[in-house]
Amino acid sequence: MSDSGHHITPFKTYIIVYGVLLCFTVLTVVVAPSVTGVERNLMNTLLAMGIATVKASLVILWFMHQKYENNFNRIVFGAGFFFLIVLVFFSALDIFSRYNMINEFGK
Amino acid sequence: MSIVNPPKDHHHAHHFDSAEQEYQTSKVGIWLFMVTEILMFGGLFVGFALFKNIYPEVFETGALFLDWHLGAANTIVLLTSSLTMALGIYYIQTGKREAAFWNLIATIACGAIFMVIKYFEYTHKFHMGLFPGGLFSFDPTSVAQLPAGLPEVLPANLALYFSFYFCMTGLHGIHVVSGMILIGWVAWRHKRGDFNPKYFTAVEGVGIFWHVVDLIWIYLFPLLYLV
């Protein structure tokens, strides 16, 4: 971006993003087991996390102006999520390869 | 009546080549800080996910004590605060100085509403003896109104859920209060006339921090209250 100024997101865009965020909040509530009383399972956890990720993406792209960031800052911020995935993956690998041991221990 | 002072010119610090270089350097710093935030909360999220898998009954029973209405209300409050924060920057960029100031104040007000709702949730749990870890002293026989669907026999390590609940929402709450103080600081600087459409680095940085606080709540709400 040049010295002449920084990108200005139009007012209307902010309002639309906000509206969509509210719609997804309603959606995540109306499909939730705590609200509807459906059985809790992995599917509705994944659904809720999927909706949360869509909402998070909207916030990152438009409210945090990541859509207009340079690639260097994208990589910097993206690195956070990359290492989070590394943390999840190896922790899960470790814990669930000992899952039977934990179950035995709990009995 | 105008309460915001006219803008002063910003001169970039002598160790930068230009105002643009100063701005971009600050931005890298803020994004790096956000990475540390994501990873700090990330550790708690990973712990939550693993223990939820190992002891699903603990997390199902624990979630019964949470009222999703309050969680949803707080989600809407924080999303609204993210909008007003973004609009605060928008109005500085477009030179509408008064509107920018009041949007920043509205963001602080939303943070305050969030904390008040959180206060009611916390005190309600404290009254029932729902404390984290070793402080856990919940006794179903001494509580007048038990949540619907509570099993006869409670999981032995129910306290685990509330350790996660208070650590995650507590750390998040500290961030909300920090964010309110930081927004107060930039609102005061804006009132003094520090920012103009070409220079608003501090507001942008504080804004990014505030949106990360919102981001974390976007995940906390469904994880704790809904699933």
Side-chain angles (χ1 to χ4, degrees):
Chain A
M1 209 160 285
S2 69
D3 265 9
S4 58
H6 304 285
H7 180 88
I8 301 176
T9 311
F11 180 81
K12 210 175 133 190
T13 310
Y14 283 127
I15 301 298
I16 292 169
V17 170
Y18 177 64
V20 175
L21 283 169
L22 289 185
C23 291
F24 276 110
T25 305
V26 172
L27 179 69
T28 195
V29 166
V30 296
V31 299
S34 324
V35 182
T36 57
V38 297
E39 199 195 329
R40 290 164 198 271
N41 56 37
L42 184 64
M43 269 319 289
N44 45 50
T45 303
L46 290 179
L47 180 63
M49 289 300 99
I51 295 172
T53 302
V54 173
K55 287 169 72 183
S57 308
L58 290 170
V59 170
I60 291 169
L61 287 174
W62 278 282
F63 283 174
M64 295 169 86
H65 305 140
Q66 188 62 258
K67 192 169 185 288
Y68 309 103
E69 259 314 340
N70 59 45
N71 282 337
F72 184 76
N73 284 345
R74 282 184 187 157
I75 291 167
V76 167
F77 193 49
F81 294 96
F82 171 74
F83 284 107
L84 188 57
I85 291 167
V86 172
L87 179 65
V88 174
F89 180 74
F90 285 102
S91 305
L93 209 62
D94 178 55
I95 279 285
F96 297 120
S97 60
R98 305 161 191 248
Y99 192 68
N100 290 332
M101 188 187 83
I102 293 163
N103 271 354
E104 292 301 313
F105 186 72
K107 272 166 197 158
Chain B
M1 193 187 73
S2 169
I3 64 149
V4 180
N5 293 317
K8 291 178 280 201
D9 276 346
H10 172 72
H11 298 288
H12 57 86
H14 67 88
H15 50 283
F16 291 110
D17 288 339
S18 64
E20 181 62 21
Q21 195 201 17
E22 186 185 57
Y23 176 77
Q24 292 301 347
T25 310
S26 308
K27 285 296 277 292
V28 175
I30 274 292
W31 286 117
L32 271 174
F33 174 42
M34 291 312 116
V35 169
T36 69
E37 290 284 349
I38 302 256
L39 288 174
M40 177 168 63
F41 278 98
L44 287 167
F45 276 108
V46 172
F48 185 94
L50 294 179
F51 277 108
K52 188 175 156 71
N53 260 286
I54 299 169
Y55 305 111
E57 71 290 349
V58 169
F59 286 78
E60 274 178 34
T61 312
L64 294 174
F65 290 92
L66 271 61
D67 184 355
W68 69 265
H69 296 89
L70 296 176
N74 262 348
T75 305
I76 291 166
V77 167
L78 272 198
L79 288 176
T80 309
S81 78
S82 262
L83 174 72
T84 55
M85 185 71 230
L87 288 180
I89 293 166
Y90 167 81
Y91 283 125
I92 290 179
Q93 286 177 319
T94 50
K96 297 194 178 93
R97 312 178 43 72
E98 299 287 321
F101 179 76
W102 290 115
N103 269 287
L104 292 176
I105 298 299
T107 313
I108 300 174
C110 285
I113 295 170
F114 180 91
M115 291 310 291
V116 167
I117 294 177
K118 209 79 243 147
Y119 167 81
F120 284 118
E121 287 191 279
Y122 270 27
T123 45
H124 179 62
K125 286 178 188 64
F126 292 160
H127 285 311
M128 286 200 278
L130 298 167
F131 290 104
L135 301 167
F136 190 79
S137 57
F138 176 67
D139 176 13
T141 54
S142 67
V143 175
Q145 215 183 351
L146 287 171
L150 197 69
E152 287 284 308
V153 183
L154 294 173
N157 48 359
L158 186 58
L160 177 69
Y161 180 83
F162 290 96
S163 302
F164 272 111
Y165 172 80
F166 283 113
C167 278
M168 294 172 100
T169 59
L171 187 62
H172 180 264
I174 291 169
H175 278 77
V176 172
V177 173
S178 313
M180 286 164 66
I181 294 168
L182 288 168
I183 296 164
W185 170 65
V186 291
W188 172 73
R189 281 190 64 189
H190 177 57
K191 191 176 176 296
R192 196 171 69 177
D194 280 10
F195 305 118
N196 60 57
K198 280 192 174 166
Y199 173 72
F200 51 89
T201 310
V203 196
E204 176 80 7
V206 168
I208 287 174
F209 175 80
W210 188 257
H211 297 309
V212 159
V213 172
D214 185 21
L215 208 69
I216 287 157
W217 185 257
I218 284 174
Y219 282 97
L220 278 180
F221 168 56
L223 267 187
L224 293 171
Y225 293 82
L226 296 180
V227 294

